[in-house]
Amino acid sequence: MKKILSLLVLISGFLFASEQFVTYEVDGKKYEGYISSPSQNAPLVFLVHDWDGLTDYEVKRAKMLNEMGYATFAVDLYGKGVRPEKIEDKKRLTSELYKDRAKMRTLLDGGFNEAKKLGLNVSNAVGIGYCFGGAAILEMARSGAKLKKFIPFHGGLQTPKGQDYSRTKGEIVVFHGTADKAVSMQDFANLAVELEKTGIKHEMLTYSGAPHAFTVFGSKRYHEEADKASWKRFSEILEDTF
């Protein structure tokens, strides 16, 4: 019996130290997330991809977090194998979810439940998202999800009509570029006012000269100074949270 238990512990340790794609289902449709974890009880970062879908970018961020001692579950909101390359396809996929917030929440919950099934530490977790994923992580915040913090990087900041932050359980931290032409500084200010009015603890940071998608390595919009500064502050927030 002791040998069997030892073997199970060894297998468990291998699983949680692994980095791999995992297939799961939500409402009968297959999705493919990505797990990266250094240990079984590592604090969890629940990550939502940008409008490209779950790509090498999210995998790289997950690996960076793994090296810092955090587990990551990168959720998939499009479907297994759905990784759009054309702008019109990216707009279509995101638009469908923006118009159907109930479906967006179902997919977010489905991914979070999968992380729980995998044994990740969902009781000690924060959520982050990039661009479209930033808007999605704020949707998760408004849904009342039990995460300690909700952190959008250059994400959509508008609150949909009929929604508010009255059910929000955790803190909000926003990383935004003042040169962002897709998400205005007015949106940034409106969110700050709304969070203050609702009594939600928040921290909102802007970076001069940083455009939309300023953290995306290798892109024309990449802004190294803003990316490094926001990641540094993000790292400090993780340390303070966990």
Side-chain angles (χ1 to χ4, degrees), residues 8-188:
L8 289 174
V9 169
L10 180 62
I11 293 173
S12 176
F14 176 76
L15 171 65
F16 283 96
S18 68
E19 300 180 15
Q20 59 186 313
F21 286 93
V22 293
T23 299
Y24 61 99
E25 290 190 8
V26 180
D27 288 344
K29 181 179 177 179
K30 290 184 177 180
Y31 294 83
E32 187 175 47
Y34 180 78
I35 177 177
S36 178
S37 183
S39 63
Q40 183 170 353
N41 294 316
L44 175 65
V45 176
F46 184 76
L47 187 156
V48 189
H49 58 75
D50 64 16
W51 76 344
D52 292 336
L54 203 171
T55 64
D56 290 343
Y57 176 75
E58 288 77 22
V59 170
K60 182 171 183 176
R61 290 293 182 184
K63 290 178 181 292
M64 290 169 66
L65 288 164
N66 189 316
E67 292 175 358
M68 294 162 59
Y70 304 109
T72 300
F73 183 86
V75 65
D76 173 17
L77 299 189
Y78 287 169
K80 186 173 183 178
V82 181
R83 302 294 179 261
E85 295 184 1
K86 297 180 179 179
I87 295 294
E88 55 265 35
D89 291 330
K90 297 176 183 180
K91 288 183 177 179
R92 175 181 55 81
L93 287 165
T94 54
S95 179
E96 288 174 356
L97 290 175
Y98 280 137
K99 291 177 181 177
D100 190 347
R101 297 287 178 150
K103 181 177 180 181
M104 183 189 287
R105 292 187 181 193
T106 295
L107 295 175
L108 289 165
D109 290 344
F112 195 69
N113 288 334
E114 181 62 22
K116 184 176 181 179
K117 290 178 184 177
L118 289 167
L120 294 169
N121 195 354
V122 296
S123 63
N124 193 24
V126 302
I128 69 171
Y130 293 91
C131 297
F132 159 72
I137 211 67
L138 289 179
E139 185 71 30
M140 203 171 181
R142 292 188 297 270
S143 76
K146 294 181 180 179
L147 294 172
K148 293 184 174 181
K149 285 184 174 66
F150 301 88
I151 307 172
F153 286 82
H154 43 77
L157 304 179
Q158 291 185 354
T159 302
K161 186 177 181 179
Q163 289 195 30
D164 57 41
Y165 285 86
S166 61
R167 299 180 61 194
T168 300
K169 301 292 193 300
E171 300 175 18
I172 306 290
V173 180
V174 175
F175 294 106
H176 185 70
T178 52
D180 191 328
K181 295 181 180 179
V183 182
S184 71
M185 284 302 296
Q186 188 60 57
D187 291 339
F188 180 88

